[in-house]
Amino acid sequence: MGDAVRARVAEIVAAEAGRDGPLLPILNRVQAEFGHVPRDVLPDIAAALNISRADIHGVVTFYHDYKDAPQGRTIVRLCRAEACQAMGGRAVAAEVQAALGLGWGETTPDGAVTLEAVYCLGLCACAPAAMIGAEVLGRVDAEAVLAAVSR
């Protein structure tokens, strides 16, 4: 991580530190700016807020939307909840993983796609479900997921 990233995080911390409960706004802004919360800046944030690194680590790992590495330009989320599994979601996931060459939480080497498991997209009646970027799809098969990814 470079000095420019550290300096920008310091600016974000300075702008938010006076708020009540500044940690989440700081992490949100860092995530928005860099696409993830670099692990290397956690000690800097902890020192600035006079809290432990363990406290920050606990928050970052508790909330699944905070990422510790850059994500792909397209995020593919496949539902792993019971209704989707009962309607063939396991097979869809296996085919998508094989086609993309990814495991859960991994990103393609070119940074194009990240594959994530989620546990309910609210489309139980239209299972199996997927979310490609901001688009939610129901009754998907692997071909539909891969076609949506390539758009």
Side-chain angles (χ1 to χ4, degrees), residues 22-111:
L23 181 57
L24 290 178
I26 289 168
L27 294 175
N28 289 341
R29 286 188 58 189
V30 170
Q31 173 96 9
E33 183 141 339
F34 301 107
H36 68 292
V37 179
R39 289 182 189 180
D40 293 347
V41 302
L42 298 183
D44 300 342
I45 296 170
L49 298 179
N50 196 30
I51 58 177
S52 74
R53 286 180 288 176
D55 287 337
I56 295 178
H57 175 77
V59 170
V60 170
T61 57
F62 177 78
Y63 293 106
H64 71 273
D65 285 334
Y66 292 128
K67 307 300 179 189
D68 62 1
Q71 300 295 287
R73 291 180 297 281
T74 301
I75 310 295
V76 176
R77 294 176 176 94
L78 298 179
C79 183
R80 308 288 293 147
E82 291 80 5
C84 287
Q85 295 306 303
M87 296 302 292
R90 186 171 289 118
V92 171
E95 289 180 51
V96 170
Q97 286 179 310
L100 296 175
L102 296 175
W104 299 117
E106 295 180 346
T107 301
T108 55
D110 63 359

